[in-house]
């Protein structure tokens, strides 16, 4: 191998390492699907990977109300161990995606969030839900709802015009300790909070490489703390970083 080739190879290796550890990557462009697929009944992914080919999927019939009512069915239901990739959820989107255990969402986009974009269910404390890439907008309430135990990872994601990016269920009949890890996310206001967690159940939220756009008055709360309940409504008890539940510092938040 010539010296020039060796130098080029080393430079490429250094560059690829920098991508993984350096500054926040620029947000991907929103897809504009040329094909739309009506969904009248929940698509159940029972094994492996469902690749939507970046088509737009939207609800019809019972999945086409476009409302915010709790208890709606999803467009996609993911069994434990499955992956959903390259999907655009259009409008109406019903209750988006339900994850019944460990699952992965790769490059999934929500053009107009319905009840919720995705809900993490299941019953195992070791289960994980990973959202990698994609984006969501027009979520009047929550984007990602965490009902079961385990850890949700949200990374390389963009969100705008939303209530909360993530909410640990405030009043589920069965409550758990839940964790969320948010990394390399760009949030554009209007928005109320990045994450909402129940500190009385030991929830944790770790935030890194967060970019908040358009919030000159700093109204969007990166981490909101609640006292969760099993009936009735949860109580907001605070916000901001600490060393136990809301795990971040001002250095983890960039304002643009």
């Amino acid at each position: 191998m010539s010296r020039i080739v060796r130098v080029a190879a080393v430079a490429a290796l250094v560059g690829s390492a920098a991508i993984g550890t350096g500054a926040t990557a620029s947000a991907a462009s929103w897809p504009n699907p040329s094909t739309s697929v009506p969904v009248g009944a929940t698509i159940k992914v029972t094994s492996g990977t469902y690749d939507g080919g970046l088509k737009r999927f939207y609800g019809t019939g019972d999945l086409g109300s476009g409302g915010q009512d709790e208890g709606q069915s999803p467009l996609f239901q993911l069994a434990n161990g499955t992956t959903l990739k390259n999907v655009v959820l259009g409008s109406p989107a019903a209750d988006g995606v339900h994850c019944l255990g460990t699952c992965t969402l790769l490059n999934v986009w929500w053009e107009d969030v319905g009840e919720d974009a995705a809900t993490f269910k299941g019953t195992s404390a070791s289960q994980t839900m990973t959202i990698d890439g994609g984006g969501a907008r027009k979520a009047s309430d929550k984007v990602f709802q965490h009902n079961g135990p385990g850890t949700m990872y949200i990374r390389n994601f963009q969100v705008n015009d939303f209530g909360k990016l993530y909410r640990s269920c405030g009043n589920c009949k069965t409550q758990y300790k839940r964790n969320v890890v948010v990394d390399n996310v760009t949030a554009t206001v209007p928005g109320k909070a990045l994450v909402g967690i129940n500190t009385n159940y030991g929830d944790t939220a770790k935030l890194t490489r967060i970019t908040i756009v358009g919030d000159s008055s700093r109204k969007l709360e990166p981490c909101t703390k609640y006292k969760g309940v099993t009936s009735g409504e949860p109580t907001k008890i605070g916000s901001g970083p600490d060393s136990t539940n809301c795990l971040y510092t001002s250095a983890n938040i960039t304002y643009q």
Side-chain angles (χ1 to χ4, degrees):
M1 181 183 292
S2 70
R3 181 178 182 277
I4 293 176
V5 173
R6 287 198 304 270
V7 170
V10 172
L13 182 61
V14 172
S16 63
I19 291 173
T21 59
T24 301
S26 59
S29 298
W30 275 80
N32 185 22
S34 58
T35 302
S36 294
V37 180
V39 181
T42 299
I43 298 171
K44 296 183 178 181
V45 183
T46 58
S47 64
T49 297
Y50 185 102
D51 190 336
L54 277 182
K55 297 182 180 72
R56 176 186 290 111
F57 295 79
Y58 66 95
T60 62
D62 291 341
L63 298 178
S65 71
Q68 293 291 318
D69 297 337
E70 295 290 334
Q72 294 185 59
S73 296
L75 294 188
F76 290 91
Q77 178 180 285
L78 307 183
N80 182 54
T82 59
T83 296
L84 180 69
K85 66 185 291 187
N86 299 329
V87 164
V88 178
L89 279 77
S91 178
D95 200 28
V97 179
H98 284 183
C99 178
L100 304 185
T102 291
C103 72
T104 302
L105 280 65
L106 297 176
N107 196 36
V108 176
W109 303 80
W110 290 263
E111 294 180 326
D112 189 341
V113 174
E115 180 185 340
D116 298 312
T119 302
F120 190 15
K121 296 175 175 286
T123 58
S124 172
S126 63
Q127 67 187 13
T128 60
M129 180 176 182
T130 301
I131 299 102
D132 194 344
R137 57 192 180 197
K138 300 180 182 178
S140 60
D141 191 7
K142 307 171 297 294
V143 177
F144 297 118
Q145 173 77 16
H146 195 163
N147 289 352
T151 302
M152 185 183 294
Y153 296 89
I154 307 168
R155 56 181 181 240
N156 308 319
F157 196 80
Q158 54 188 295
V159 61
N160 62 284
D161 191 4
F162 64 105
K164 297 179 183 69
L165 173 63
Y166 166 93
R167 180 66 171 103
S168 172
C169 183
N171 57 2
C172 283
K173 292 181 180 179
T174 301
Q175 290 285 28
Y176 305 95
K177 177 185 185 298
R178 305 181 180 100
N179 309 295
V180 62
V181 178
V182 185
D183 176 59
N184 195 23
V185 166
T186 298
T188 302
V189 298
K192 295 179 180 178
L194 203 63
V195 303
I197 60 174
N198 306 311
T199 57
N200 58 313
Y201 296 125
D203 291 356
T204 66
K206 182 178 181 181
L207 310 180
T208 54
R209 298 194 298 168
I210 305 300
T211 301
I212 299 176
V213 180
D215 187 24
S216 58
S217 58
R218 307 291 196 267
K219 288 185 178 180
L220 190 152
E221 295 180 348
C223 187
T224 305
K225 306 169 190 179
Y226 293 89
K227 180 181 180 181
V229 294
T230 54
S231 64
E233 291 299 321
T235 304
K236 180 180 176 180
I237 56 176
S239 64
D242 56 52
S243 59
T244 305
N245 305 105
C246 291
L247 308 176
Y248 71 99
T249 69
S250 59
N252 299 123
I253 312 292
T254 300
Y255 290 89
Q256 291 183 354

